[in-house]
Amino acid sequence: MAFQCQRDCYMKEFVTSVVSCCPAELKQEVNGRKETLKGFNVLLKDTILFPEGGGQPDDHGLIGEVPVLRVTRQGPDAVHFVTSPVEVGQEVRVTVDWERRFDHMQQHSGQHLITALADAMFGYKTTSWDLGRHRSTIELDTPSVKAAQLQELEEAVNEKIRSGIPVSVQLLDLSDPAVEKVRSRGLPDDHAGPIRIIDMEGIDANMCCGTHVTNLSHLQVIKLLGTEKGKKNKTNLIFLTGNRVLKYAEKSYSTERSLVSLLKTGPDEHVEAVEKIQKSVKLLQKSNLSLLRDMAVLIARDFKNNPHRGNFFSFHKKEGDNEFMNIIANEINTEETLVFLTVGEEKGAGLFLLAGPSGQVTELGPRILELLQGKGAGKNGRFQGKANSLARREEVEAFLRQRCKHHSSEEE
């Protein structure tokens, strides 16, 4: 079955009727966390909202005033997930999120064009592709693509766009001999209905279920950003089509203006200016590390030279690392002294080190992890790790100081 979105990819509104509405759940990821959303699966008599497929994400839109959050294909049906029920049998107006739809049309048709010409010009077959949120990727069956080939390919695809070549859709029966002549990576197991062919006149005929432009001029422009090493003997070609190129140019210009202001140089000198800054930063980091090491030694010696030092030492510094803490611990005789060191934001995340008599460290380490909400491990009288929060540092220090007093009284 071909949906209305496939018969007319440019239709923005469509009146149809509700066939069914059943309770359902949608699993989605929000800010890196997996959530399950309760709602309803809606079947319509027909739809202009494309269900994900062919490497193309689904459409978003409205059924009446109800937002459609996901559209999937199940056999011949398009299933629309909504959070509010709609009445079965009622006539509804379906509206597509046109900006999202047209973007997908440009990227998908752009992929077909690039794929066809990469094959025709260099024999590089497309093995898969991904329509990303910001940029798209075509996986080519070649270990590498030369810079000159990339430039030649970009010039060729944009020449086809300027030529205004029409793009048409054909619906063929699976038994039609013409099906054997078109490019295809196979049909899904649950495919139903006629075979849909996207025909770029004189360039490519490809089996595809996605939404496409009707003329290559609607792609506006294609920019091949470059290539990356893909899977074994594959190359990923990264590209932008149409409005994404314009947004990319706008963002690049905005970034350029910001860098001009920050670096106090023109765009042509930005790389050189950043390289100079990086060299300066490395020298400063090296100098800072040397100072921290000297400081660590002085901190430890100051404690050792204190005649009233006791058997517990605690120290915190905002700037520092594991090496800084270990130098202090190495300078102090931890066979007789329990040492608790932390670096990082006082109320935020940081690093910690507990060093001292092996038995004490093994016993106290897990409790320190708990109080600092951290992760770590220990052996040979050292227990160190990452603290998610140093907010309870003073509490840890008081706890350790008390344990040291208790340990000393037991020895007496």
Side-chain angles (χ1 to χ4, degrees):
M1 173 182 178
F3 302 112
Q4 183 62 27
C5 58
Q6 295 170 312
R7 291 190 291 271
D8 184 354
C9 300
Y10 289 79
M11 184 176 283
K12 300 174 184 178
E13 292 187 350
F14 179 64
V15 176
T16 185
S17 57
V18 180
V19 174
S20 67
C21 179
C22 303
E25 293 182 345
L26 175 65
K27 292 181 180 180
Q28 57 182 4
E29 193 170 298
V30 180
N31 297 325
R33 296 178 58 186
K34 292 182 179 179
E35 295 182 356
T36 299
L37 192 62
K38 293 186 179 297
F40 302 86
N41 279 340
V42 176
L43 294 184
L44 303 173
K45 188 175 181 180
D46 202 347
T47 186
I48 58 166
L49 300 184
F50 176 75
E52 59 186 354
Q56 179 177 323
D58 58 343
D59 283 336
H60 291 171
L62 299 170
I63 297 177
E65 298 299 323
V66 179
V68 178
L69 304 183
R70 181 71 57 80
V71 190
T72 55
R73 187 180 64 82
Q74 294 180 8
D77 298 319
V79 180
H80 309 71
F81 181 86
V82 296
T83 54
S84 302
V86 291
E87 185 181 340
V88 175
Q90 89 173 99
E91 196 172 78
V92 291
R93 181 176 296 275
V94 181
T95 309
V96 69
D97 177 342
W98 176 247
E99 183 178 355
R100 177 181 171 92
R101 155 68 70 76
F102 189 59
D103 173 57
H104 291 173
M105 289 166 62
Q106 287 190 319
Q107 309 318 309
H108 203 161
S109 295
Q111 176 264 314
H112 278 223
L113 179 58
I114 296 167
T115 287
L117 294 187
D119 188 8
M121 295 169 67
F122 310 113
Y124 299 155
K125 306 288 185 184
T126 291
T127 48
S128 68
W129 85 291
D130 175 63
L131 200 167
R133 289 182 59 190
H134 303 294
R135 56 186 64 179
S136 299
T137 307
I138 296 173
E139 183 185 73
L140 296 175
D141 191 15
T142 177
S144 64
V145 177
K146 295 178 182 177
Q149 291 177 321
L150 202 65
Q151 183 177 349
E152 190 178 345
L153 180 59
E154 181 176 281
E155 290 173 356
V157 294
N158 283 294
E159 174 59 33
K160 297 297 183 185
I161 291 171
R162 288 191 294 273
S163 298
I165 293 170
V167 180
S168 60
V169 177
Q170 301 177 49
L171 296 177
L172 302 177
D173 188 86
L174 187 58
S175 60
D176 193 317
V179 172
E180 300 297 324
K181 300 177 182 179
V182 301
R183 185 166 52 83
S184 170
R185 294 200 301 273
L187 291 168
D189 294 336
D190 61 347
H191 173 80
I195 305 300
R196 189 165 176 267
I197 309 299
I198 306 301
D199 188 0
M200 294 181 176
E201 191 176 286
I203 300 174
D204 182 53
N206 185 14
M207 197 181 296
C208 183
C209 65
T211 55
H212 290 271
V213 298
T214 56
N215 192 290
L216 290 186
S217 64
H218 297 183
L219 300 182
Q220 299 168 279
V221 64
I222 287 177
K223 178 60 188 174
L224 305 183
L225 294 178
T227 60
E228 294 177 349
K229 185 175 177 61
K231 298 174 186 176
K232 188 176 181 181
N233 294 323
K234 310 281 187 184
T235 297
N236 294 329
L237 172 61
I238 306 162
F239 73 96
L240 304 171
T241 305
N243 289 332
R244 290 195 182 191
V245 178
L246 301 181
K247 290 178 181 178
Y248 185 82
E250 181 181 358
K251 185 178 180 181
S252 296
Y253 181 71
S254 177
T255 301
E256 180 182 284
R257 300 313 303 163
S258 296
L259 288 172
V260 166
S261 177
L262 289 168
L263 300 173
K264 309 302 181 187
T265 63
D268 293 341
E269 289 82 40
H270 283 171
V271 173
E272 183 182 351
V274 171
E275 286 175 344
K276 287 180 180 179
I277 290 172
Q278 286 179 327
K279 289 179 182 178
S280 297
V281 168
K282 285 180 180 178
L283 288 172
L284 288 171
Q285 287 175 334
K286 188 175 180 180
S287 176
N288 185 51
L289 184 58
S290 178
L291 289 172
L292 277 174
R293 287 170 179 164
D294 293 342
M295 185 184 295
V297 172
L298 290 173
I299 290 168
R301 289 179 180 175
D302 184 58
F303 170 76
K304 289 166 67 177
N305 292 332
N306 182 356
H308 308 293
R309 61 180 179 268
N311 62 348
F312 177 69
F313 177 69
S314 176
F315 185 81
H316 171 79
K317 185 171 177 58
K318 184 178 178 181
E319 303 84 7
D321 55 14
N322 281 318
E323 184 180 8
F324 172 76
M325 295 189 294
N326 276 292
I327 289 173
I328 295 176
N330 290 338
E331 289 289 323
I332 297 175
N333 183 3
T334 55
E335 291 182 5
E336 299 176 356
T337 307
L338 186 66
V339 176
F340 176 56
L341 307 169
T342 54
V343 295
E345 297 291 338
E346 289 187 9
K347 303 296 183 182
L351 303 172
F352 73 90
L353 169 65
L354 181 67
S358 184
Q360 275 187 286
V361 171
T362 302
E363 176 193 354
L364 300 172
R367 178 60 178 155
I368 305 305
L369 278 184
E370 182 183 338
L371 291 170
L372 298 180
Q373 303 172 28
K375 292 183 179 180
K379 63 179 181 178
N380 302 326
R382 298 280 172 102
F383 197 105
Q384 63 189 88
K386 294 181 179 179
N388 287 325
S389 174
L390 293 174
R392 300 178 70 180
R393 188 193 182 285
E394 291 184 4
E395 185 179 339
V396 173
E397 185 176 326
F399 167 72
L400 293 174
R401 196 179 297 277
Q402 183 63 35
R403 292 306 297 263
C404 282
K405 287 181 181 178
H406 178 71
H407 185 74
S408 295
S409 64
E410 283 185 343
E411 289 183 340
E412 292 173 2

